Amino acid sequence: MGCGGDGHDGSSLLRRRMPGVSQKMLSVTLRSLTRDGLVARRVEPTVPPRVFYRLTGLGLSLEAALEGLRTWAEEHMVEIDRANEAAAQEADEG
């Protein structure tokens, strides 16, 4: 988030950066992050209105903590994928 020239990303750019996330889930999540003070929302008064998001200082302060989670996920992705495949196969057989 915040990769636009002015530190803001539009919601369509965010959707493209997160394949598999529905518009509704993105909207609900952005609303929650905004309410929590982690994300700032800016609306441009165009037709149709353009909405941009950026991380606040509070949101940026999570970067170090999330880096550890990102590293862990990358190190264990093969195991996670195997577990998902096994669960899907079990559901198909069950």
Side-chain angles (χ1 to χ4, degrees):
M1 186 173 293
C3 291
D6 62 355
H8 289 76
D9 279 345
S11 56
S12 59
L13 175 61
L14 290 172
R15 271 197 314 274
R16 284 193 300 272
R17 291 174 64 188
M18 293 182 273
V21 175
S22 70
Q23 173 63 44
K24 179 175 178 160
M25 181 54 67
L26 179 61
S27 295
V28 167
T29 301
L30 286 169
R31 229 181 334 236
S32 176
L33 292 170
T34 301
R35 186 178 50 248
D36 292 343
L38 301 171
V39 170
R41 181 177 187 266
R42 176 175 60 89
V43 179
E44 272 189 11
T46 59
V47 177
R50 293 182 63 198
V51 181
F52 296 90
Y53 297 91
R54 68 171 177 77
L55 289 171
T56 63
L58 184 61
L60 288 169
S61 72
L62 285 169
E63 188 172 10
L66 292 176
E67 180 58 35
L69 179 60
R70 182 182 308 116
T71 299
W72 179 90
E74 289 170 353
E75 290 172 357
H76 294 88
M77 190 55 61
V78 172
E79 296 167 79
I80 294 167
D81 287 342
R82 265 191 246 134
N84 279 305
E85 288 168 9
Q89 189 173 19
E90 221 176 83
D92 288 343
E93 293 172 358

